Amino acid sequence: MTRIQILTFHVLLMLLYIPISAPVTVTTSRPKVEVHENTNAVLSCEFRTEKETNPRVEWKKRGNDVSYVYFDGEFTGSFRGRASIDGATVTLRGVTQKDSGVYLCEVTARQDKIKLGEATVTLNVHVPPHTPSCEVPETVMRGFSVELHCKDKLSVPASTYSWYKDNKLLNTAHLPEINYSLDPKTGTLKFKSVSKSDEGQYRCEASNGVGAPKSCAGQHMKITEFELNLTLVIAVGVGAFLLFLSCCLAICLCCRRGCCRRKNKGETKQSRTKTNYNPPTDPRHYKHTQSFVL
């Protein structure tokens, strides 16, 4: 063995005895958690440190603002009393839609070279369908268009909708013999022109794959024919006659009072002369006029 080989062997031995340092690392086994409403959600978080034996663990929730979930050894806000922690893994009990969001697990190891590590967990809380609100008109005139509406605002993910007529599922396909269209995303059922055969009881069903589908109560839609109301015709006729009679009376009264008479030029001049004449006020003038007459 040469001298160079001996030196190389000693260097390798020294490298084997040097401890390998690892910075603090934080991981999660489930970066995305999906649970049903009113069940428990486990937000996993595992960490490994280099030297620190008592690292600080914090949980935060991201939103418009970052808020603390677990800070300084205790849960905060709405999580107090319904959450627990094991190591760095948090369990939320009885979750609701408000708990959905992005959570951040942070571990601080002050004695390590890299002092902070973090992992992100996204929680989605699914809500089963609720009873949808349905809008079905009571009466529709034959030949007119009409829309029926159905909506469930609380289900997550959003529900899709089906319509039933007399407990029979309506076809969503666009067929030539069908005079309606149905949008399963909005829950709107449209009739272009209703006929007597469209009369019946309608109900809507909401489903999203989370829980059992929910339906609204059936509502009857009646199709009526256009009928001319005799009472209405008589009332309109009497009203028109009275209006015509009133106009005639008004014209007659106006003519009797001279509003409608046209005056000629001679009458106008004479009226002006009579109106402008003023008798003399001097007594001497009156006496002279009287003697002249005699």
Side-chain angles (χ1 to χ4, degrees):
M1 183 177 289
T2 63
R3 188 173 181 180
I4 295 176
Q5 290 175 335
I6 294 172
L7 289 172
T8 304
F9 180 74
H10 282 288
V11 169
L12 290 173
L13 288 176
M14 291 175 64
L15 289 174
L16 290 174
Y17 282 101
I18 295 176
I20 299 175
S21 61
V24 59
T25 55
V26 182
T27 58
T28 179
S29 59
R30 294 182 64 192
K32 188 174 183 179
V33 180
E34 294 185 352
V35 296
H36 291 184
E37 189 181 34
N38 299 320
T39 61
N40 297 343
V42 178
L43 312 181
S44 69
C45 182
E46 298 86 26
F47 63 88
R48 184 180 62 185
T49 61
E50 177 187 356
K51 297 178 181 179
E52 183 65 58
T53 58
N54 188 25
R56 186 179 68 187
V57 177
E58 294 178 355
W59 276 90
K60 300 175 183 177
K61 184 182 179 184
R62 289 177 181 169
N64 294 331
D65 297 319
V66 177
S67 57
Y68 277 102
V69 175
Y70 181 80
F71 176 74
D72 199 19
E74 62 181 12
F75 289 94
T76 63
S78 62
F79 300 98
R80 187 181 290 113
R82 66 182 187 94
S84 59
I85 190 167
D86 182 14
T89 297
V90 166
T91 300
L92 304 179
R93 295 186 294 274
V95 294
T96 64
Q97 179 58 31
K98 292 181 179 180
D99 295 320
S100 295
V102 178
Y103 291 80
L104 188 65
C105 174
E106 290 185 353
V107 178
T108 303
R110 298 184 182 278
Q111 296 184 14
D112 291 9
K113 289 182 180 179
I114 299 177
K115 302 183 184 305
L116 179 66
E118 62 183 31
T120 302
V121 180
T122 301
L123 174 62
N124 292 321
V125 179
H126 292 171
V127 181
H130 289 65
T131 301
S133 60
C134 300
E135 298 179 9
V136 179
E138 294 182 1
T139 305
V140 182
M141 202 167 292
R142 185 175 65 86
F144 281 67
S145 62
V146 68
E147 291 186 2
L148 283 65
H149 299 280
C150 178
K151 195 64 178 177
D152 172 19
K153 298 180 180 180
L154 301 177
S155 61
V156 179
S159 292
T160 55
Y161 304 95
S162 303
W163 278 94
Y164 291 80
K165 177 181 179 289
D166 299 329
N167 291 324
K168 293 181 180 179
L169 181 65
L170 293 179
N171 198 339
T172 57
H174 296 281
L175 301 176
E177 65 272 16
I178 293 178
N179 69 329
Y180 63 82
S181 61
L182 197 162
D183 190 338
K185 292 183 178 179
T186 63
T188 301
L189 176 61
K190 296 181 180 180
F191 289 89
K192 296 179 181 178
S193 176
V194 293
S195 60
K196 196 65 178 177
S197 62
D198 295 320
E199 181 173 311
Q201 190 178 63
Y202 290 83
R203 67 178 178 88
C204 172
E205 183 180 86
S207 61
N208 67 349
V210 176
K214 291 292 182 70
S215 297
C216 63
Q219 302 177 45
H220 190 80
M221 184 174 73
K222 183 179 180 181
I223 308 301
T224 60
E225 299 289 339
F226 179 77
E227 296 180 358
L228 197 60
N229 194 321
L230 184 60
T231 305
L232 181 62
V233 172
I234 294 173
V236 172
V238 171
F241 174 75
L242 291 175
L243 179 62
F244 175 75
L245 187 61
S246 300
C247 293
C248 291
L249 289 174
I251 294 172
C252 291
L253 288 174
C254 183
C255 290
R256 291 187 64 181
R257 292 180 179 179
C259 298
C260 303
R261 184 181 176 187
R262 295 184 63 181
K263 296 180 180 180
N264 54 36
K265 294 182 179 181
E267 290 177 340
T268 305
K269 275 186 176 181
Q270 188 176 0
S271 62
R272 285 182 181 176
T273 305
K274 289 180 180 180
T275 305
N276 296 332
Y277 174 73
N278 293 319
T281 56
D282 190 355
R284 290 180 297 175
H285 177 77
Y286 177 76
K287 187 183 291 187
H288 176 75
T289 305
Q290 190 176 17
S291 63
F292 177 77
V293 172
L294 291 175

